[in-house]
Amino acid sequence: MTPEPASLCLGCWQNLHLPIPLRGPLSAPFRVFGIKPSRMNPNTCTICEMAFSKIMKARAVTIEATVMFADLRGYTELTQSLEQEALTSLLDTFYDDCAAAIWRYDGLLNKTIGDAVFAIFNFPVRRQDHAAEALRAAREIQKRFAAQHDQLAQTIGTSAADLGIGIGIDSGETNFGEFGQTHRDLTAIGTVVNRAARAQTVAKPGEILVTSAVRERTADMIRGDGRDYALKGFGMPVTLFSG
Ligand SMILES: [Zn+2]
């Protein structure tokens, strides 16, 4: 967990044993050379992003990672009834809460897709307990949103009953790299990503659903039995646990 903005790049320190200042007067000379906090995790730097492109020479690498999708439920319906300004502020709140929680637990906020957020844990900041960190981040996202829910609901009006965040998490080997010919995109792909995305679609507002791989890696953080879900694209039912 990284509660405060880190003063040194966590990725460079961990992987290269290089102290790269991210903030404060010491960071100024580095900024001249374009070395600054990464937009995907401000506790890492743009050198770490360049390290990605080194990896890209191999196009992609297989890494052990935890993948999390969080989606703002009810957003599509709200786009029809809400003023643009209220919508923007709702999305801002959602993105900001997600980013803060993901970065706090050393995850990479890889993408925001419409009303959903896609995060990867264990890259470039390595964490033995990346599944637990992802789950902690997910719980914090839910907690932050719940604390503001009533006020948001009041601002938005009656249609806010279904307002909430659905989250899906899976862990395992993931292909990480730059994909696409015309538009190169740094991201993760594979079964773990698909399963996390599908788990997210069946999570109710306010719910976190995790796979048995996540449950195994998070020791006693998850209690209760799993439930089998028919997930699109998966032939066999997938057991998910409430996180
Ligand atoms: Zn770095």
Side-chain angles (χ1 to χ4, degrees):
M1 184 177 94
T2 305
E4 297 299 325
S7 52
L8 294 178
C9 171
L10 298 179
C12 286
W13 184 245
Q14 212 177 50
N15 298 310
L16 309 164
H17 300 289
L18 274 179
I20 304 291
L22 293 174
R23 293 170 182 86
L26 284 177
S27 69
F30 288 87
R31 282 174 191 256
V32 173
F33 292 100
I35 301 165
K36 53 189 182 194
S38 161
R39 291 179 64 185
M40 290 193 270
N41 180 341
N43 294 322
T44 66
C45 77
T46 42
I47 298 184
C48 292
E49 286 178 5
M50 284 192 292
F52 298 155
S53 40
K54 287 241 166 60
I55 288 164
M56 269 16 114
K57 296 234 160 70
R59 288 285 287 161
V61 284
T62 303
I63 56 163
E64 246 319 276
T66 298
V67 167
M68 177 180 86
F69 281 88
D71 175 84
L72 185 57
R73 294 283 187 271
Y75 182 77
T76 316
E77 294 73 45
L78 287 173
T79 53
Q80 286 151 39
S81 56
L82 265 194
E83 300 281 334
Q84 188 56 47
E85 207 172 304
L87 274 180
T88 309
S89 116
L90 177 63
L91 261 195
D92 282 349
T93 304
F94 171 64
Y95 285 155
D96 290 351
D97 282 356
C98 286
I102 290 161
W103 294 336
R104 187 165 192 222
Y105 294 100
D106 295 326
L108 189 73
L109 204 176
N110 189 229
K111 277 177 204 313
T112 52
I113 315 145
D115 53 3
V117 158
F118 170 33
I120 302 163
F121 293 79
N122 206 28
F123 199 84
V125 184
R126 302 287 172 150
R127 294 295 311 248
Q128 278 281 315
D129 57 343
H130 51 92
E133 292 286 71
L135 181 56
R136 288 184 191 111
R139 286 176 176 174
E140 190 169 315
I141 290 170
Q142 295 293 21
K143 212 170 104 188
R144 281 169 184 252
F145 197 81
Q148 301 168 84
H149 181 274
D150 289 354
Q151 207 200 326
L152 284 169
Q154 204 178 14
T155 318
I156 289 162
T158 48
S159 53
D162 296 329
L163 189 65
I165 297 168
I167 299 180
I169 309 175
D170 192 18
S171 264
E173 286 197 340
T174 308
N175 247 338
F176 194 85
E178 221 170 10
F179 301 100
Q181 294 293 338
T182 46
H183 174 74
R184 289 230 167 170
D185 197 15
L186 179 71
T187 192
I189 57 167
T191 309
V192 167
V193 178
N194 296 342
R195 201 156 34 214
R198 292 304 178 195
Q200 174 265 110
T201 61
V202 293
K204 294 189 213 58
E207 193 175 32
I208 302 166
L209 287 179
V210 310
T211 62
S212 40
V214 175
R215 187 177 181 249
E216 278 161 26
R217 288 159 213 237
T218 48
D220 54 357
M221 282 177 78
I222 293 165
R223 293 167 200 280
D225 296 327
R227 240 186 83 194
D228 284 349
Y229 289 82
L231 301 184
K232 199 177 159 195
F234 290 85
M236 303 281 281
V238 176
T239 309
L240 299 174
F241 301 82
S242 186

